[in-house]
Amino acid sequence: MRRVRYYLGGALFWGAFLAVCVLLFWNAQRLARAAGGISLRYGEALEPRVVASALEYARDGRNNAAWSPTFWAVRQGAASANGREETVRMLRVCGDAELLATEPLLYGALPGPAGQGGCAVSSALAWQLWGALDVTGLELELDGERYTVRGVFESGEARAVTQEAADSRTAEYANVELTAMETAPEGTEAALAFAGASGLGTPAHVVDGPALAGLACALALFLILYVLIKGVPHLSWELVSTKPSYLSDTIGILPDIISTLCMVLTTLLFVLPLGVCAAVYLTEYAANKRVVAVIEYAAETLSGIPSIIYGLVGQMFFCQFLGMKKSLIAGAMTLVIMNLPTIMRTTQESLKTVPQSYREGAFGLGAGKWRVIRTVVLPGCVDGVITGCILAVGRILGETAALLYTAGFAHTLYSTLGETLQSSGATLSVALYVYAKEQGEFDVAFAIAAILMVLALIIDIAAALVGKYFQRRRSI
C-alpha cells in the first residue's frame, strides 16, 4: 500500500510538472507573439522621405516581402469636438496598424485600409467628448488637424490613434517595428541589413522581442525545474498529512496547509466585498473627480509599500491595539489592506470597459441606478473581479514578511475553525522560511516550494477555465 501511494504521488506531481511546462511554453508563445518582432529605436525623428522610402522598399520586389515596417510615435496632444476639448495621449502610426495590434499603447488595431489617413479613439475619450460610444464617422480635431473617426477601441484612458499615409508630412517617427513575414531570415542582423538597405540607417537601440521572450522562458523553466527536482523527491504522505512532533522528531506540514487555506479564504471574504464596492462607488457614483483622483492615488501608493511595513503596522494595530494578538485573523486583516488596491484597480478597469450604451438602454427601460449596476454592469465585469481575486490569492500564497509579525509561525492543529483563526499559525510560505532559515531543513523547504508551485499552477488553470466560462456565457 505504501508503494502504491509512493508511485501515485510521484505520478501526480510529475504530471503537474509536465502541465507546468506546457503552460509555460504556451505563455512564452503568447509573449513572443505580443513582442511583435524587432524594434528599431532611433535617437532622432526620421525624415518623411526616409519613412516613405522604407515603406516603398518593403512593398516592392527587393524586400521579397520578408519584413513589414510600422512606424509609430507617442506624444501628448489636444483633442476637440462637440465644443469640448481634452488632453489626450496620441499614438501616430505610419504603415500597417494591424501589425501593432499587440502594442500596449494602441489597445487594438485601427480599422480601415492601411496607408490611409484616419483615426480611432478610446471609449473613454468618445464618452468625454460626445457622451456616447457610437461616434464612427464624426469629425475630430487633433492638434489642429481634422480627422474622421473610423472606430472606437476599449480603454479607460483618453487616447487617440492616427494612421498616416505613406508620404506623411510629419517628421516625428523615431520608432520602427519590424514584423517578420514567413520568408524573413531570423535574428537582428537580418533586421539591421533591412534597415540599411531601405535607407533607415543604423538605429540607436535594437530590441529583439522574441529573444527576450525566449530568455524569460528559459529563466522561468530553470527555476521551475530546479525547485521541482529538489522538492518532489522529498514529498511523502507522512509529510502532508501529519503535524510536526518534537518527541518523535518528525516533520509534518498539515497545520501549515490548513492555515494557508484559512488565510486565503478569510482574506478573500473581506477584501472582495470591500474592493468591489469601492470600485463601484468610484466608477458609478462618485461625481467629484478630485476626490476620485485622491482615492486612486492613495490606493496606488498603498500598492507600492513594502510588505514588511504592512507587517509592522498590522502588529501595532490589529495585534496590540485591537487585542487580536498574533493570530490568523490578524494576518488576514493585514493582507486585506495589502490586497485592497489590487481588487479596486482591476475591478475599476473592468467596469470602465462595460459600454455606456448598456447603461443607457437599462435606464431607458426604467431601471434604477442600483438595479442597472447589479443586473447589467457587474455581470459584464466579472472577469475583472476574478482577475483581481487570482492576483490576490497569488500574493497571499507568497506573503511571508507581513505574516511573521501578525500571524506568527506555530505548527499546531486546532479542533474548531474559530479557534484556528484566533490562534497563531504558519502558512506554507512562512513554514518554508522557518524550515530553511531557522532549522536548516532545506529538503522540507524545497518540498513546500514544490507544493506552492503546484498551487500556483492550479490557480493559473482555474483562471483560464473561469475566463473561458464567462466568455462562453457572454457569447450566448
Side-chain angles (χ1 to χ4, degrees), residues 218-436:
L219 290 175
L221 183 60
F222 169 75
L223 291 176
I224 292 174
L225 280 173
Y226 185 78
V227 171
L228 291 179
I229 290 174
K230 297 280 286 186
V232 169
H234 303 287
L235 285 171
S236 64
W237 178 252
E238 182 182 1
L239 178 68
V240 299
S241 62
T242 60
K243 65 179 181 178
S245 174
Y246 294 102
L247 296 177
S248 57
D249 195 22
T250 58
I251 296 176
I253 60 172
L254 180 60
D256 307 323
I257 295 175
I258 294 176
S259 297
T260 301
L261 294 177
C262 291
M263 185 70 71
V264 171
L265 295 177
T266 306
T267 304
L268 292 181
L269 183 64
F270 285 94
V271 75
L272 282 180
L274 286 175
V276 173
C277 290
V280 169
Y281 171 75
L282 293 175
T283 307
E284 304 293 333
Y285 286 98
N288 192 330
K289 291 186 177 181
R290 292 184 178 180
V291 175
V292 174
V294 169
I295 296 175
E296 290 179 348
Y297 178 76
E300 292 175 358
T301 303
L302 283 175
S303 62
I305 296 176
S307 58
I308 194 169
I309 304 299
Y310 281 106
L312 291 172
V313 174
Q315 184 184 43
M316 289 187 295
F317 184 74
F318 294 113
C319 298
Q320 297 180 5
F321 183 75
L322 295 183
M324 294 182 179
K325 301 180 181 180
K326 282 194 175 182
S327 59
L328 291 181
I329 189 66
M333 293 299 102
T334 305
L335 292 179
V336 166
I337 300 175
M338 292 177 62
N339 290 281
L340 186 59
T342 302
I343 301 293
M344 283 179 53
R345 294 302 294 171
T346 54
T347 306
Q348 268 188 285
E349 295 303 319
S350 187
L351 286 169
K352 291 176 182 178
T353 62
V354 178
Q356 188 66 25
S357 57
Y358 290 4
R359 299 176 176 87
E360 294 175 349
F363 287 137
L365 294 174
K369 181 76 171 179
W370 170 241
R371 186 175 180 83
V372 170
I373 294 173
R374 181 172 55 87
T375 60
V376 177
V377 178
L378 286 180
C381 71
V382 173
D383 52 350
V385 177
I386 293 173
T387 301
C389 177
I390 293 166
L391 293 174
V393 171
R395 188 169 186 181
I396 295 168
L397 288 177
E399 187 54 51
T400 303
L403 297 181
L404 282 173
Y405 286 96
T406 55
F409 44 87
H411 309 285
T412 307
L413 285 175
Y414 300 97
S415 57
T416 62
L417 177 61
E419 189 178 1
T420 301
L421 293 176
Q422 295 175 13
S423 304
S424 175
T427 60
L428 285 173
S429 57
V430 174
L432 188 152
Y433 168 79
V434 172
Y435 284 120

Side-chain angles (χ1 to χ4, degrees), residues 121-139:
V121 297
S122 65
S123 56
L125 180 60
W127 187 254
Q128 291 174 16
L129 293 178
W130 291 283
L133 291 178
D134 186 14
V135 297
T136 303
L138 298 182
E139 292 287 327

